[in-house]
Amino acid sequence: MLVPYMNFQKSEITLQVAQIARDFAQQHIKPHVMEWDESQEFPTPIFKQLGELGMMGVLVPEQYGGAGLSYFEYKTIIEEIAKVDGSIGLSVAAHNSLCTGHILLFGNNEQKERWLPKLATAEWIGAWGLTEPNTGSDAGNMQCTATKEGDNWIINGTKNWITHGRSGDVAVVICRTGEPRAKNNATAFVVERGTKGFSGGKKENKLGMRASETAEMIFDACVIPDSNRLGDVGDGFKQAMKVLDGGRISIASLSLGIAKGAYEAALQYSQERHQFDKPISSFQGISFKLADMATEIEAADLLTLSACDLKTRGESVTKLGAMAKYYASEVAVKVANDAVQIFGGYGYTKDFPVEKHYRDAKLCTIGEGTSEIQKLVISREVLK
Ligand SMILES: Cc1cc2nc3c(=O)[nH]c(=O)nc-3n(C[C@H](O)[C@H](O)[C@H](O)COP(=O)(O)OP(=O)(O)OC[C@H]3O[C@@H](n4cnc5c(N)ncnc54)[C@H](O)[C@@H]3O)c2cc1C
């Protein structure tokens, strides 16, 4: 059941943050969207600028150099950026909620002081490595190992599909520290770029989200001190699942931004494009599509706000976060598909934004747990 009597009236601060993110996206991202998409360029300077605005450490308390804002503002920022460019939205989300989020949740004070100020200001870009070539949904079966030797850990293995796998200055990496398939057999570590034995590997050539770098991270006898370990030995997988609980709000927000961007473009186009001497919006075949799109976006928005509300109040968000991620991502794919249909042949070209929304949206049903895995999480929760 959703939380009763929720009040989702936007606060003054949320409205201000939305305006700043919207203005930034229009001025600094929109003019370059297709150039970055075509070249698959990861535009590092944009993230530094977003860092100056506090958008790379949204949830990080001010004492660690962050903006100290809530999940409501975080959702708004991801959404406003993704309306214009999903791939920048994805990178901002991964940086904030995965790498930074993991250190924020599970780092000790010394670790927080060491890494969070650099991440929150985007002096450093963060990466987070759970997925491996043979373990995606079945992430608990990881093969990348960390072995204790004296006061150090030696990491060996490969992580792939990692957002900022090459460009990240610092990475949280979840490694196996126990027997395969054993309980509590993984531990999380922080590895800084430049550490001997740590390198970036193949960069993926993707369908969408092309300005967000996705690459391998390779560990070859990479030695790190025990002081880089996050939390207890054996807690890495449990920590990762907690991080992903929040990450699902990110992907729901990313989905909403893409859906809203596609919907707004289609709404406008449907009133401008004339066929049979009428705007195409006057045909029920088009107006009913718009009605469905608007309704589904509204429902996905409310689900995501409910997850933000629970998270803000410190309650478990496992079920609602998975619901929001699952529903919003499927809505994004459907809305982007309908938007291309409303644009007709023009929607199939790169002259209009909807084809990119269509390509970008698909990632949302895959990354940070596929739709099938979200249904697994939700069904476990409802059958408890
Ligand atoms: C652009 C991009 C960015 C990414 N960024 C990161 C990152 O920063 N860090 C990171 O660690 N990972 C990242 N990932 C990895 C992502 O989380 C995985 O791709 C995702 O979890 C799915 O794993 P997989 O691709 O191996 O698919 P698989 O696990 O091989 O799944 C293949 C299919 O089988 C289905 N399936 C699997 N198991 C079940 C089951 N039990 N029941 C029903 N169906 C099932 C899946 O739903 C899917 O349809 C990223 C991926 C992409 C594409």
Side-chain angles (χ1 to χ4, degrees):
M1 211 176 93
L2 296 186
V3 186
Y5 314 120
M6 285 176 297
N7 176 5
F8 291 144
Q9 199 167 4
K10 287 195 171 90
S11 68
E12 197 52 42
I13 181 80
T14 307
L15 290 170
Q16 277 173 16
V17 164
Q19 191 62 50
I20 295 168
R22 201 174 302 136
D23 290 347
F24 184 87
Q26 288 298 323
Q27 279 173 35
H28 301 284
I29 300 176
K30 196 173 176 190
H32 307 287
V33 169
M34 290 317 288
E35 168 198 329
W36 294 336
D37 183 69
E38 297 272 326
S39 65
Q40 296 205 69
E41 182 188 338
F42 177 63
T44 314
I46 277 294
F47 299 99
K48 307 283 177 199
Q49 284 174 271
L50 284 164
E52 283 165 23
L53 293 174
M55 296 189 187
M56 298 296 274
V58 183
L59 301 162
V60 175
E62 286 171 277
Q63 73 176 110
Y64 299 117
L69 295 170
S70 80
Y71 263 86
F72 290 104
E73 286 82 46
Y74 178 57
K75 166 189 178 284
T76 303
I77 289 167
I78 302 296
E79 220 180 285
E80 289 299 336
I81 294 172
K83 273 188 201 170
V84 173
D85 190 336
S87 56
I88 303 302
L90 172 62
S91 274
V92 173
H95 174 96
N96 270 284
S97 81
L98 297 181
C99 178
T100 309
H102 200 134
I103 296 172
L104 183 59
L105 276 177
F106 299 106
N108 58 33
N109 194 43
E110 191 199 316
Q111 292 169 328
K112 288 181 187 174
E113 279 177 353
R114 182 164 162 204
W115 289 302
L116 290 181
K118 287 195 170 86
L119 285 162
T121 52
E123 183 186 338
W124 281 10
I125 300 288
W128 188 80
L130 176 67
T131 307
E132 298 182 5
N134 294 317
T135 59
S137 304
D138 186 14
N141 194 24
M142 66 192 78
Q143 287 157 27
C144 179
T145 56
T147 315
K148 188 99 193 281
E149 267 190 31
D151 287 340
N152 294 325
W153 291 86
I154 324 286
I155 304 181
N156 278 296
T158 302
K159 296 283 175 185
N160 75 337
W161 294 108
I162 308 306
T163 303
H164 317 144
R166 274 189 189 179
S167 300
D169 301 285
V170 62
V172 172
V173 192
I174 296 95
C175 305
R176 186 158 60 72
T177 47
E179 292 302 310
R181 292 285 184 202
K183 257 191 145 192
N184 304 328
N185 69 350
T187 306
F189 300 93
V190 180
V191 187
E192 294 182 7
R193 180 76 51 201
T195 307
K196 197 164 169 269
F198 172 34
S199 56
K202 181 189 168 216
K203 177 175 164 174
E204 304 297 340
N205 182 2
K206 307 195 296 293
L207 168 75
M209 301 292 196
R210 287 164 62 85
S212 177
E213 179 190 270
T214 314
E216 274 180 328
M217 296 194 302
I218 300 166
F219 300 91
D220 181 11
C222 173
V223 182
I224 52 155
D226 190 48
S227 55
N228 284 29
R229 171 170 50 82
L230 294 171
D232 290 338
V233 173
D235 274 357
F237 191 69
K238 274 191 261 172
Q239 290 178 6
M241 294 304 109
K242 278 262 174 276
V243 170
L244 287 175
D245 271 355
R248 284 173 187 144
I249 297 179
S250 298
I251 305 296
S253 310
L254 182 65
S255 307
L256 272 171
I258 295 171
K260 287 180 186 180
Y263 166 75
E264 284 165 15
L267 182 68
Q268 186 182 338
Y269 184 80
S270 72
Q271 294 165 87
E272 290 167 356
R273 173 74 173 169
H274 284 66
Q275 289 293 283
F276 303 97
D277 303 320
K278 290 177 188 164
I280 59 170
S281 60
S282 67
F283 304 127
Q284 202 176 68
I286 299 294
S287 63
F288 275 20
K289 238 188 250 311
L290 290 165
D292 281 341
M293 292 156 89
T295 307
E296 286 156 358
I297 289 172
E298 202 68 40
D301 209 341
L302 283 172
L303 212 41
T304 310
L305 284 167
S306 302
C308 290
D309 183 54
L310 281 187
K311 190 81 185 156
T312 305
R313 289 193 281 118
E315 294 186 27
S316 167
V317 79
T318 303
K319 182 174 77 176
L320 222 55
M323 284 177 167
K325 195 271 183 190
Y326 164 50
Y327 186 70
S329 63
E330 295 290 342
V331 163
V333 171
K334 181 173 176 293
V335 165
N337 181 42
D338 286 345
V340 172
Q341 193 66 22
I342 289 172
F343 269 80
Y346 294 93
Y348 204 62
T349 71
K350 292 185 186 286
D351 295 337
F352 292 91
V354 289
E355 72 84 32
K356 182 171 181 298
H357 288 309
Y358 180 66
R359 288 184 287 112
D360 288 348
K362 192 58 203 156
L363 176 273
C364 301
T365 68
I366 298 170
E368 298 197 29
T370 61
S371 288
E372 290 77 10
I373 295 303
Q374 302 313 312
K375 285 197 255 190
L376 212 75
V377 173
I378 298 162
S379 59
R380 268 188 206 137
E381 290 289 318
V382 298
L383 290 167
K384 251 181 188 172

